[in-house]
Amino acid sequence: MRLPRIFIDGEAGTTGLQIRSRLEHRNDIELLSIDPARRKDPQARRELLNAADVAILCLHDDLAREAVGLIENLSTRILDASSAHRVAPDWTYGFPELTAGQAEAVRVATRVSNPGCYATGAIALLRPLTEAGLLPSDFPVSVQGFSGYSGGGRALVDAHEVPGTPEHPMGGHFKSYGLTLNHKHVPEMQRYGGLSTPPIFAPNVGDWRQGMIVQIPLHLRQLGATAHELHAALERHYSGQAVVRVQPMEGAPTILDPQALQDTNLLDLFVYANDHEQALLVASLDNLGKGASGAAVQNLELMLGLPSA
């Protein structure tokens, strides 16, 4: 029986390289690669996209849309790691733990959009609370994210790691960006977080390679719920899940390292609270793991019925 064929379109980028490294030692798939001599040949790319059982797109949004247009084989399924189709009609959102039935939806889908890294952390915290009715859909939500520089893609990685590469234009070891309040992850945070209005999102990048923390502060009196009720809702929602882990409130670490889950596909959720009826929801993940490449492999395994590696 023929092995399923996988083509990573854009395998030289940060996400593509990580996906390939997670797949290349498997014996239950066949990885297709473009001939280096034909790397700039559009026809060669078209041929591989249509030869694949699953095409994984690790491209800028415009190129991802172009790649979808090149696929004429109705049997080729698409897993898009760009942000081009995350809130598009007829695409399945590739967060299997999102809600009941989501893993099955990914399994049978022909078009799957891989979530954004920051959005993964925010939605993981928000969706159980909106579903449980503890967080009204119109509640004013603010999200802060702190990511390693690999979240900025190949150019920012090279700026930090390749000698002779010009410094990133912003310079420095810690940068706040997205200050126009219009980050590309906001639409998926709103839709899949169950919000009727966009959250305020403030992203930041630091001088470490990979690893991410996402925080959502809440005034409990304004919300009308207790921290223990929020924590219980998260525990119920993710009960039995292997990848998403809700950590106990008692004894939770008072310092979190954004690199703690580096090179894993895990997502840890925390609820912190004080005596002033304030709570802080926190998600910890690897922005290249559950935030990108690890999530893509998890979705691929679902789509093809493969065991988790």
Side-chain angles (χ1 to χ4, degrees):
M1 186 174 179
R2 180 177 66 79
L3 296 177
R5 293 171 295 193
I6 314 300
F7 175 54
I8 305 170
D9 194 3
E11 67 176 21
T14 305
T15 299
L17 285 171
Q18 285 256 338
I19 293 174
R20 186 171 185 85
S21 71
R22 291 168 183 258
L23 295 179
E24 60 189 356
H25 301 298
R26 298 186 69 133
N27 58 13
D28 52 1
I29 61 170
E30 178 187 353
L31 279 176
L32 305 179
S33 290
I34 196 164
D35 184 339
R38 300 184 68 195
R39 188 171 295 277
K40 295 185 179 181
D41 181 353
Q43 183 57 32
R45 182 168 162 239
R46 182 192 293 269
E47 289 169 4
L48 287 169
L49 286 167
N50 285 282
D53 294 293
V54 178
I56 304 177
L57 310 182
C58 301
L59 305 162
H60 292 296
D61 289 4
D62 54 346
L63 291 176
R65 295 186 187 96
E66 176 188 276
V68 172
L70 294 175
I71 297 174
E72 300 162 340
N73 183 355
L74 298 180
S75 298
T76 297
R77 301 166 76 187
I78 305 173
L79 175 55
D80 184 7
S82 81
S83 60
H85 300 101
R86 288 178 184 155
V87 294
D90 303 322
W91 284 74
T92 299
Y93 195 59
F95 188 1
E97 302 85 3
L98 178 69
T99 190
Q102 192 69 17
E104 176 63 14
V106 172
R107 187 186 70 81
V108 301
T110 59
R111 302 288 185 267
V112 176
S113 184
N114 216 49
C117 51
Y118 288 118
T120 295
I123 292 164
L125 295 166
L126 292 168
R127 183 59 175 261
L129 307 185
T130 55
E131 277 198 7
L134 293 171
L135 184 76
S137 62
D138 61 352
F139 194 81
V141 171
S142 296
V143 181
Q144 293 191 72
F146 307 87
S147 175
Y149 57 80
S150 60
R154 185 65 176 269
L156 196 54
V157 171
D158 287 351
H160 279 260
E161 297 183 353
V162 179
T165 300
E167 286 187 357
H168 188 264
M170 294 181 68
H173 296 292
F174 185 88
K175 309 169 187 70
S176 291
Y177 65 104
L179 300 178
T180 60
L181 303 182
N182 194 32
H183 192 278
K184 64 181 181 179
H185 289 181
V186 169
E188 58 186 301
M189 288 183 188
Q190 178 182 346
R191 173 174 292 189
Y192 300 110
L195 304 176
S196 60
T197 57
I200 294 175
F201 175 48
N204 306 271
V205 62
D207 194 21
W208 63 91
R209 191 177 203 279
Q210 60 196 87
M212 169 175 286
I213 293 223
V214 178
Q215 301 178 339
I216 300 177
L218 295 170
H219 290 280
L220 297 175
R221 182 176 299 178
Q222 182 184 10
L223 185 62
T226 69
H228 287 283
E229 287 174 329
L230 303 181
H231 186 266
L234 293 174
E235 285 193 316
R236 287 192 301 271
H237 192 94
Y238 297 112
S239 176
Q241 297 290 350
V243 172
V244 183
R245 309 183 303 187
V246 181
Q247 299 298 330
M249 290 183 68
E250 298 298 325
T254 56
I255 296 176
L256 291 178
D257 181 355
Q259 302 176 84
L261 297 180
Q262 184 173 320
D263 296 322
T264 78
N265 197 40
L266 297 173
L267 171 59
D268 281 351
L269 305 180
F270 301 85
V271 177
Y272 293 93
N274 63 16
D275 295 333
H276 302 289
E277 297 187 80
Q278 297 170 324
L280 183 66
L281 312 181
V282 182
S284 173
L285 64 155
D286 183 348
N287 58 287
L288 294 183
K290 183 61 170 169
S293 306
V297 172
Q298 182 185 4
N299 286 321
L300 180 70
E301 290 167 344
L302 280 170
M303 294 169 75
L304 295 177
L306 302 176
S308 178

